[in-house]
Amino acid sequence: MSTDVHQTLGKKRIEAICLEYGLMGDDQKTVDEILEKLEPMLGKRQTDKMTQVILEYIKGKPHHTQIIEAMIAINTEFAIKRMKSGRID
């Protein structure tokens, strides 16, 4: 994965956050896929479209709540790290 989130946090940190929320295997893959799909929309105020993408990916997944919680944690950590580094777009 080559998203800004993956580059900033690193694959191991994203995996660790997923594990904190009980996500493994296919669920971690879902998180990676969502991050990749959302990358082009970041910073473009496409909240409705982003929400729609997330809902499409988690539909029918038994751990949908944990996926959302992990995504919030990952994106929060990403935003904090970017602010501290002065790399705010």
Side-chain angles (χ1 to χ4, degrees):
M1 299 287 148
S2 62
T3 68
D4 283 346
V5 176
H6 285 90
Q7 291 175 9
T8 301
L9 297 184
K11 182 179 180 184
K12 297 242 185 258
R13 181 60 188 139
I14 292 170
E15 287 175 0
I17 293 170
C18 286
L19 288 174
E20 289 174 24
Y21 289 89
L23 302 176
M24 297 178 273
D26 285 342
D27 292 328
Q28 282 186 3
K29 183 179 175 188
T30 298
V31 169
D32 285 333
E33 289 171 351
I34 291 170
L35 289 170
E36 189 171 337
K37 188 74 172 183
L38 296 181
E39 175 87 3
M41 294 178 227
L42 294 177
K44 296 186 175 131
R45 298 181 187 241
Q46 296 181 347
T47 307
D48 290 341
K49 188 172 181 181
M50 293 170 77
T51 301
Q52 187 177 26
V53 166
I54 293 168
L55 291 175
E56 286 174 19
Y57 272 92
I58 65 171
K59 185 177 182 178
K61 300 246 182 221
H63 300 112
H64 61 275
T65 301
Q66 293 94 323
I67 292 170
I68 291 171
E69 290 171 344
M71 292 293 303
I72 292 168
I74 289 165
N75 284 301
T76 299
E77 189 167 317
F78 168 73
I80 290 168
K81 197 164 189 176
R82 292 277 300 233
M83 286 189 317
K84 286 182 177 180
S85 72
R87 291 178 42 208
I88 301 173
D89 301 335

